[in-house]
Amino acid sequence: MSSSASVSVVTEQPQSHGDSMRMNRQGVEAEPRLEMLTSLDQLIIEQKKECIQAYTPIETKNKYVMKNDKSEQVYTAFEDSSFCMRCICRRFRSFRMSILDKEGEEMIRIVRPLQFCAGYCCFVKGDNCCASRITIEAPPGTTIGHVQQRYSLLRPHFSVSDGDGNEELSVIGPLLASPFFVCCIGDVTFRIRNVDGADYGGLTKVWRGLLREIIVLKPCREADEFLVEFHQDLTGKQKALLIGALFLLEFLYFEG
């Protein structure tokens, strides 16, 4: 009896060990590819803009480089959208954003539907047709959560929920934030809050000076730069959702 029992224990150990390796800090099962995010306290995201956008009305697909706090590249992000969407719908366009690891494999996918009035009807209560929203998948095809614009009169408010629709975090913008002037007032930070209202980091559009942002280097430049600061208790999945939230904010408030 003891011999068979010991055999049973040995054969079950690999499965138990594998399960434990797939657990995040809070003991919730997470995708292994997202485990790298748990060790990151911040991400620097730099948009790479092509010169053709400075001199023509043609809007090209957005590209981004994502670095850790040591300025080491850890991910890249590429927009997938149609030519008509980019040139006609501009910041309101639908898109699919693919985030690739250093091996070039897609680890996170962000999907945004077309909403032409997205971001401008936040004074209408409820989940109306103008409330901007995105879906985050990791791996692609598996939904891990959503970011949804919420009713707010004075400050932008976005809800970050898991795949079942349970709100886990919220993102709160500065007072009277608007796409028409947030690019001209220095660093713009959207604070991250947990369900109890505690501060869990921030999503910041980095101001690089008047000359670089508006006057001299506006044409044909390395475009917008963002900083994502994570609280140490955030899981890999939650950080992936917040990266999605950053890209939604980028299109709503900072897309040229």
PDB file of all heavy atoms in Angstrom, residues 3 7 60 73 81 106 120 236 251:
ATOM      1  N   SER A   3       3.882   1.490  -1.024  1.00  0.00           N
ATOM      2  CA  SER A   3       4.610   1.598  -2.289  1.00  0.00           C
ATOM      3  C   SER A   3       3.762   2.209  -3.371  1.00  0.00           C
ATOM      4  O   SER A   3       4.180   3.122  -4.077  1.00  0.00           O
ATOM      5  CB  SER A   3       5.095   0.208  -2.731  1.00  0.00           C
ATOM      6  OG  SER A   3       5.706   0.272  -3.991  1.00  0.00           O
ATOM      7  N   VAL A   7       4.152   5.896  -5.390  1.00  0.00           N
ATOM      8  CA  VAL A   7       4.155   6.017  -6.838  1.00  0.00           C
ATOM      9  C   VAL A   7       3.138   7.041  -7.296  1.00  0.00           C
ATOM     10  O   VAL A   7       3.366   7.856  -8.168  1.00  0.00           O
ATOM     11  CB  VAL A   7       3.882   4.642  -7.508  1.00  0.00           C
ATOM     12  CG1 VAL A   7       3.664   4.820  -8.999  1.00  0.00           C
ATOM     13  CG2 VAL A   7       5.023   3.680  -7.230  1.00  0.00           C
ATOM     14  N   THR A  60      -0.246  56.597 -41.489  1.00  0.00           N
ATOM     15  CA  THR A  60       0.311  55.253 -41.562  1.00  0.00           C
ATOM     16  C   THR A  60      -0.009  54.473 -40.287  1.00  0.00           C
ATOM     17  O   THR A  60      -0.459  55.037 -39.288  1.00  0.00           O
ATOM     18  CB  THR A  60       1.835  55.312 -41.760  1.00  0.00           C
ATOM     19  OG1 THR A  60       2.425  56.011 -40.651  1.00  0.00           O
ATOM     20  CG2 THR A  60       2.177  56.033 -43.052  1.00  0.00           C
ATOM     21  N   GLN A  73      14.917  47.180 -24.767  1.00  0.00           N
ATOM     22  CA  GLN A  73      13.684  46.856 -25.479  1.00  0.00           C
ATOM     23  C   GLN A  73      13.189  45.478 -25.073  1.00  0.00           C
ATOM     24  O   GLN A  73      13.925  44.498 -25.120  1.00  0.00           O
ATOM     25  CB  GLN A  73      13.914  46.912 -26.989  1.00  0.00           C
ATOM     26  CG  GLN A  73      12.673  46.610 -27.801  1.00  0.00           C
ATOM     27  CD  GLN A  73      12.887  46.791 -29.294  1.00  0.00           C
ATOM     28  OE1 GLN A  73      13.652  47.657 -29.715  1.00  0.00           O
ATOM     29  NE2 GLN A  73      12.212  45.986 -30.089  1.00  0.00           N
ATOM     30  N   SER A  81      -4.719  48.148 -39.284  1.00  0.00           N
ATOM     31  CA  SER A  81      -5.967  48.826 -39.625  1.00  0.00           C
ATOM     32  C   SER A  81      -5.967  49.118 -41.113  1.00  0.00           C
ATOM     33  O   SER A  81      -4.917  49.087 -41.763  1.00  0.00           O
ATOM     34  CB  SER A  81      -6.120  50.121 -38.816  1.00  0.00           C
ATOM     35  OG  SER A  81      -5.031  50.992 -39.061  1.00  0.00           O
ATOM     36  N   GLU A 106       3.431  36.984 -31.032  1.00  0.00           N
ATOM     37  CA  GLU A 106       2.377  37.848 -30.512  1.00  0.00           C
ATOM     38  C   GLU A 106       1.901  37.318 -29.162  1.00  0.00           C
ATOM     39  O   GLU A 106       1.389  36.213 -29.066  1.00  0.00           O
ATOM     40  CB  GLU A 106       1.207  37.915 -31.492  1.00  0.00           C
ATOM     41  CG  GLU A 106       0.124  38.898 -31.081  1.00  0.00           C
ATOM     42  CD  GLU A 106      -1.008  38.957 -32.093  1.00  0.00           C
ATOM     43  OE1 GLU A 106      -1.098  38.045 -32.935  1.00  0.00           O
ATOM     44  OE2 GLU A 106      -1.796  39.929 -32.037  1.00  0.00           O
ATOM     45  N   TYR A 120     -16.332  61.532 -26.875  1.00  0.00           N
ATOM     46  CA  TYR A 120     -16.897  62.877 -26.815  1.00  0.00           C
ATOM     47  C   TYR A 120     -18.303  62.905 -26.233  1.00  0.00           C
ATOM     48  O   TYR A 120     -18.894  63.966 -26.128  1.00  0.00           O
ATOM     49  CB  TYR A 120     -16.920  63.497 -28.219  1.00  0.00           C
ATOM     50  CG  TYR A 120     -15.538  63.751 -28.738  1.00  0.00           C
ATOM     51  CD1 TYR A 120     -14.945  62.884 -29.641  1.00  0.00           C
ATOM     52  CD2 TYR A 120     -14.809  64.848 -28.299  1.00  0.00           C
ATOM     53  CE1 TYR A 120     -13.652  63.116 -30.103  1.00  0.00           C
ATOM     54  CE2 TYR A 120     -13.523  65.084 -28.755  1.00  0.00           C
ATOM     55  CZ  TYR A 120     -12.953  64.214 -29.658  1.00  0.00           C
ATOM     56  OH  TYR A 120     -11.685  64.433 -30.106  1.00  0.00           O
ATOM     57  N   GLY A 236       0.343  39.899 -13.788  1.00  0.00           N
ATOM     58  CA  GLY A 236       0.700  40.000 -15.190  1.00  0.00           C
ATOM     59  C   GLY A 236      -0.497  40.330 -16.060  1.00  0.00           C
ATOM     60  O   GLY A 236      -0.407  41.142 -16.986  1.00  0.00           O
ATOM     61  N   PHE A 251      -4.840  56.887 -28.457  1.00  0.00           N
ATOM     62  CA  PHE A 251      -5.666  57.209 -29.621  1.00  0.00           C
ATOM     63  C   PHE A 251      -6.698  58.275 -29.293  1.00  0.00           C
ATOM     64  O   PHE A 251      -6.980  59.155 -30.120  1.00  0.00           O
ATOM     65  CB  PHE A 251      -6.347  55.939 -30.138  1.00  0.00           C
ATOM     66  CG  PHE A 251      -5.499  55.140 -31.069  1.00  0.00           C
ATOM     67  CD1 PHE A 251      -4.529  54.280 -30.581  1.00  0.00           C
ATOM     68  CD2 PHE A 251      -5.642  55.247 -32.442  1.00  0.00           C
ATOM     69  CE1 PHE A 251      -3.716  53.540 -31.433  1.00  0.00           C
ATOM     70  CE2 PHE A 251      -4.835  54.527 -33.311  1.00  0.00           C
ATOM     71  CZ  PHE A 251      -3.878  53.670 -32.813  1.00  0.00           C
TER      72      PHE A 251
END
